[in-house]
Amino acid sequence: MSHLEEVVFRGEKDRWVWLPDDGCLFSVKSSYSILENILLLEEGVGDLNEGVFSTLDESGSVQSSGVFVGVTRIPAKGMAGVLSEESGVGTSRVQQQVENEITPTLAPYRDTDEDDGVFVEQKPSELYGKYTWKIEKFNQITKRELRSNAFEVGGYKWYILIYPQGCDVSDHLSLFLCVANHDKLLPGWSHFAQFTIAVINKDSKKSKYSDTLHRFWKKEHDRGWKKFMELSKVNGHDGFVDYSDNLIIKAQVQVIREKPDRPFRCLDCQYRRELVKVYLTNVEQICRRFVEERRSKLGKLIEDKARWLSFSAFWSKIDQTSRRRISREKTDVILKVVVKHFFIMKDITSTLVMESLYSGLKALEGQTSKKEWKKLLDSEKIPTPIVRVENDMFVLVDDVLLLLERAATEPLPPKDEKGPQNCTKNGHSGEDFDKDCIEHDERCLTELGRMTLEIFVLNYIFSNKIEVAYQEAVALKRQEELIREEEEASWKAENDQKTKRGANERKKKSKKKQVGGKLMKSLDLDILNLGS
């Protein structure tokens, strides 16, 4: 199966389903009828669906089966990492070997359960592999660049590219990880991987390691370091080149299957432990910085006495049903935002942050093993929870006023002083780590993830549901006040109008009386004059 690679169809969903049978036979059912002018069997043909491929033995190739004539790169999607052995390609001064070779597996990336149609994803350990490249007579190499043999990890083929005299630099060794035969891959291909490359010193503590995270694609099919290390150290007496003038380069490659909808496991457990030794402090800084920023935001709400009193009054007036409704949210809604916020493609610590959030989520769900959870409870005091998971919903466990005050005022757990922040790349030895140290690091990752998720969920529910309801209530109250003010103004204007009309009428009556009085006086005078 090492000859098979991932098929990518633009605008189409990859619907290949690989079904392993006895005797290394594979059959395939597909909704695609034509691939590069080759007629494939339609889904539901029946007996013709079985045995499409001939037996794939160790030396056979896809072309030899007689089914895919002319198609050289049609993979089983996400086959486990199988590291190829020395193929004899290269110069005589290059000798290669495979370290910890992964046994080929019949299980594809997505294995179907025919009873219920459930897809089971391949584990990170099956997408991880190591490769060791031994370069003989290193100081006698005159070539500008040197390539390792191709090796396979996560269903993809890779090779190491080295520039013994530097690539565009004159005083450094340059090292790169490259996608093999990238120009022959189908359009739209993309490999996302985290990898570590090391130049090994006879003193393992002095070995030089570098890590990175990269999405390989058509225009970025290699990734590495032009200034991996100084040539003076490589060619000198620092122990990188042994007495036989051999240089050993090791690569660890972890192919990553992202999940945009929730935190996910993405690292082989051993590889994760090695990375934790180096980057746990970085993960802690990321998580604590996020928590402190959100705590500060909530603290400002409480410090604003007028607003806090207004919010408290709002909360005390709403009924319990409404409280429960706005104190919860679907897990998938929030977790999508969590991944989008924390999984940064070019940040080497993103994978460990995902691992931390994944473990923290499992802790919140109560799905960690009883033994592991008991150790966590026994070893350190676990704060009273803020959030619980209930029927695919995140639910605030207490009155929101109390939770906001807790989140804003309770001190954060002290920084881990016992952890591996004093470790360097020396931790990348690949040897068994101290059991207590491993358990300590896993507890740290879990607790950081749990703490971060709780604050994230509290802040999300408060900002997107509770505060929205509060703002709506404030807006409604303000609208009612404006209506009342308008009604009062209208009533006052009407009263003023009535008063004004009354005054006018009284004024008119007064004028009429005055005119009438004058007329009466005039008549009286006229009568007197007539009488005289």
Side-chain angles (χ1 to χ4, degrees):
M1 294 301 296
S2 62
H3 295 275
L4 303 177
E5 298 177 0
E6 186 172 9
V7 177
V8 180
F9 293 88
R10 283 189 174 179
E12 294 282 350
K13 183 178 179 182
D14 185 354
R15 294 178 57 189
W16 289 89
V17 180
W18 296 91
L19 304 175
D21 302 322
D22 294 334
C24 294
L25 286 174
F26 283 77
S27 61
V28 65
K29 298 179 181 179
S30 173
S31 63
Y32 303 111
S33 58
I34 297 180
L35 177 63
E36 292 195 9
N37 299 320
I38 297 169
L39 183 65
L40 302 182
L41 298 176
E42 289 289 337
E43 197 167 349
V45 171
D47 294 337
L48 291 178
N49 279 326
E50 303 300 330
V52 172
F53 288 80
S54 61
T55 301
L56 300 176
D57 57 28
E58 293 182 358
S59 61
S61 65
V62 177
Q63 293 91 327
S64 66
S65 67
V67 177
F68 293 102
V69 178
V71 179
T72 58
R73 311 188 71 75
I74 302 184
K77 184 173 182 179
M79 288 298 293
V82 183
L83 302 186
S84 60
E85 299 203 29
E86 181 179 356
S87 63
V89 178
T91 64
S92 60
R93 61 172 66 93
V94 179
Q95 177 185 345
Q96 299 181 341
Q97 63 186 36
V98 175
E99 178 182 87
N100 297 339
E101 180 174 353
I102 300 175
T103 304
T105 174
L106 297 182
Y109 172 53
R110 291 189 179 275
D111 219 356
T112 59
D113 184 339
E114 295 185 1
D115 293 330
D116 55 14
V118 175
F119 288 103
V120 180
E121 293 190 358
Q122 199 168 4
K123 297 178 181 178
S125 59
E126 297 172 314
L127 300 170
Y128 168 79
K130 297 181 180 181
Y131 185 78
T132 299
W133 183 17
K134 182 179 180 181
I135 305 175
E136 296 182 345
K137 309 299 181 182
F138 177 76
N139 286 307
Q140 298 179 28
I141 294 175
T142 58
K143 291 185 177 181
R144 180 175 181 270
E145 64 179 58
L146 202 62
R147 296 186 180 190
S148 73
N149 288 336
F151 58 95
E152 188 170 337
V153 174
Y156 306 135
K157 289 186 177 181
W158 315 82
Y159 67 88
I160 302 170
L161 177 64
I162 182 174
Y163 289 80
Q165 303 302 319
C167 175
D168 300 330
V169 292
S170 58
D171 55 351
H172 282 77
L173 178 71
S174 302
L175 271 174
F176 301 88
L177 179 69
C178 310
V179 176
N181 299 323
H182 62 86
D183 55 334
K184 296 181 181 179
L185 298 179
L186 293 175
W189 69 271
S190 173
H191 306 343
F192 188 44
Q194 181 162 348
F195 64 93
T196 300
I197 292 183
V199 175
I200 304 302
N201 193 293
K202 63 181 180 181
D203 182 353
S204 61
K205 295 181 179 179
K206 295 181 180 180
S207 295
K208 168 66 176 176
Y209 289 83
S210 286
D211 319 285
T212 192
L213 184 67
H214 184 62
R215 183 177 295 283
F216 296 84
W217 61 294
K218 180 179 179 180
K219 293 186 178 181
E220 295 183 10
H221 49 78
D222 55 38
R223 189 71 170 178
W225 302 265
K226 288 186 177 182
K227 295 184 177 182
F228 186 86
M229 64 183 300
E230 295 178 2
L231 284 174
S232 59
K233 293 183 178 180
V234 180
N235 300 324
H237 301 285
D238 294 341
F240 290 99
V241 177
D242 62 22
Y243 297 111
S244 300
D245 197 19
N246 299 324
L247 183 71
I248 297 177
I249 298 173
K250 291 187 177 181
Q252 299 178 75
V253 181
Q254 176 72 68
V255 173
I256 297 172
R257 310 288 192 189
E258 313 104 291
K259 294 181 182 177
D261 56 339
R262 63 191 298 113
F264 54 92
R265 283 270 190 228
C266 48
L267 298 173
D268 170 78
C269 61
Q270 181 65 31
Y271 190 38
R272 180 175 72 249
R273 290 167 187 168
E274 296 181 17
L275 293 173
V276 164
K277 288 295 177 183
V278 183
Y279 296 110
L280 180 58
T281 301
N282 302 68
V283 175
E284 184 175 15
Q285 289 174 350
I286 291 170
C287 293
R288 293 179 74 92
R289 183 168 61 247
F290 170 82
V291 170
E292 288 169 354
E293 288 174 355
R294 295 304 186 270
R295 281 164 51 95
S296 176
K297 180 181 177 181
L298 297 175
K300 289 178 180 179
L301 168 65
I302 297 174
E303 290 171 3
D304 187 341
K305 298 300 182 183
R307 190 182 176 203
W308 181 246
L309 288 174
S310 172
F311 176 76
S312 300
F314 153 77
W315 189 254
S316 63
K317 290 178 181 178
I318 62 177
D319 59 86
Q320 291 295 327
T321 301
S322 298
R323 287 189 184 187
R324 286 193 294 270
R325 177 176 55 81
I326 62 177
S327 296
R328 60 184 60 213
E329 182 57 277
K330 292 182 179 179
T331 54
D332 58 352
V333 171
I334 295 181
L335 293 177
K336 286 179 182 178
V337 185
V338 170
V339 175
K340 185 176 181 180
H341 180 90
F342 286 102
F343 194 67
I344 302 170
M345 290 292 185
K346 294 185 180 297
D347 188 347
I348 188 67
T349 59
S350 288
T351 51
L352 282 178
V353 172
M354 281 298 104
E355 293 276 347
S356 176
L357 293 171
Y358 175 89
S359 299
L361 177 60
K362 290 302 180 185
L364 288 178
E365 292 175 338
Q367 293 179 359
T368 51
S369 67
K370 293 182 179 179
K371 183 178 180 181
E372 179 184 347
W373 188 245
K374 185 177 184 303
K375 289 179 180 178
L376 191 61
L377 291 172
D378 293 344
S379 60
E380 300 178 14
K381 183 179 179 181
I382 304 302
T384 305
I386 294 176
V387 176
R388 71 173 182 270
V389 180
E390 181 180 291
N391 297 327
D392 296 326
M393 300 282 287
F394 281 122
V395 182
L396 302 183
V397 300
D398 205 344
D399 183 84
V400 70
L401 297 177
L402 298 176
L403 294 179
L404 291 174
E405 289 179 338
R406 270 187 56 197
T409 59
E410 278 188 359
L412 289 176
K415 290 186 177 181
D416 180 34
E417 302 297 338
K418 179 183 175 183
Q421 60 265 29
N422 295 325
C423 296
T424 63
K425 292 291 183 181
N426 302 339
H428 279 288
S429 63
E431 301 173 357
D432 292 337
F433 294 109
D434 179 76
K435 184 177 179 181
D436 292 338
C437 184
I438 292 173
E439 292 179 353
H440 171 266
D441 293 346
E442 293 296 331
R443 285 197 303 270
C444 285
L445 278 179
T446 299
E447 181 57 20
L448 285 171
R450 185 200 62 79
M451 175 182 69
T452 303
L453 267 179
E454 283 198 320
I455 294 298
F456 195 104
V457 171
L458 174 62
N459 182 78
Y460 184 94
I461 292 177
F462 176 74
S463 300
N464 292 275
K465 302 197 76 171
I466 297 175
E467 191 172 29
V468 169
Y470 166 65
Q471 294 295 348
E472 289 176 350
V474 170
L476 181 61
K477 183 178 179 181
R478 180 57 182 159
Q479 187 177 17
E480 292 173 348
E481 290 176 352
L482 290 173
I483 293 173
R484 185 167 58 251
E485 289 175 359
E486 289 178 358
E487 290 176 345
E488 290 176 353
S490 177
W491 177 81
K492 184 179 180 181
E494 186 177 348
N495 283 343
D496 290 345
Q497 193 69 22
K498 288 181 179 179
T499 302
K500 188 176 181 179
R501 285 199 300 267
N504 290 335
E505 290 177 358
R506 286 193 296 273
K507 189 175 181 179
K508 288 179 180 179
K509 289 180 180 180
S510 177
K511 285 183 179 181
K512 286 180 180 181
K513 286 183 179 180
Q514 290 177 0
V515 172
K518 288 181 180 180
L519 289 173
M520 290 299 293
K521 287 182 180 181
S522 176
L523 289 173
D524 289 343
L525 289 173
D526 290 341
I527 293 172
L528 288 173
N529 290 331
L530 290 173
S532 62

